[in-house]
Amino acid sequence: MAQNIAPVFALVPNQQWAKLTAANTAMDGTGTCPDIFTGHATDGSRVDGIRACSLGTNVATVLRVFQNNGSTAATPTNNSLIAQFELPATTADNAKDVGTLFLPLHRPLKAGHKLMICIGTAVATGWQFTGEGGHLAA
């Protein structure tokens, strides 16, 4: 079977977002894990990464990223932990950036699959997360 040697580019941009302040210590994708990116219903998508912006003063925590197979996230076997990123402690400051990170994933996402996120420690003002990528079809 021949391999595809051509790069894959998204046809339609897609962004989804969520704000988190509450902790979820479950390591299986259950509990409060909002969707941050949903694959195109028939052709799938490409996820470039997640942009994380601190909304003020927060303690250090960890961002956990799960891939769900399109079924209920309440069933642990439908979820897979695919990445973890450290989020630093931040202090509110109106004169400078208090914490903006781009967390690369460069990952294909099957049709109907979705990425979900949670943080491991509760934070005071929260983090805003934006999943960035695109669908492979219109």
Side-chain angles (χ1 to χ4, degrees):
M1 174 186 261
Q3 293 181 338
N4 179 8
I5 59 170
V8 176
F9 297 100
L11 181 63
V12 179
N14 183 30
Q15 295 176 322
Q16 293 170 252
W17 48 85
K19 175 187 174 186
L20 293 175
T21 57
N24 178 355
T25 58
M27 299 291 286
D28 59 7
T30 61
T32 303
C33 293
D35 298 348
I36 196 71
F37 200 97
T38 303
H40 186 271
T42 56
D43 295 310
S45 299
R46 175 182 163 76
V47 182
D48 295 324
I50 298 172
R51 189 163 309 279
C53 295
S54 173
L55 299 175
T57 300
N58 293 305
V59 297
T61 188
V62 63
L63 172 68
R64 293 190 177 96
V65 183
F66 298 91
Q67 183 168 341
N68 172 272
N69 64 8
S71 298
T72 177
T75 303
T77 56
N78 291 336
N79 311 318
S80 179
L81 177 63
I82 62 164
Q84 298 184 84
F85 299 99
E86 291 181 30
L87 299 175
T90 58
T91 302
D93 187 334
N94 288 327
K96 64 180 183 175
D97 176 15
V98 297
T100 300
L101 305 167
F102 184 76
L103 313 168
L105 290 174
H106 306 297
R107 179 178 193 85
L109 196 59
K110 288 178 69 171
H113 283 213
K114 58 187 175 181
L115 295 185
M116 309 176 312
I117 59 170
C118 69
I119 55 175
T121 306
V123 296
T125 57
W127 283 82
Q128 181 73 40
F129 300 97
T130 304
E132 298 181 357
H135 296 319
L136 303 180

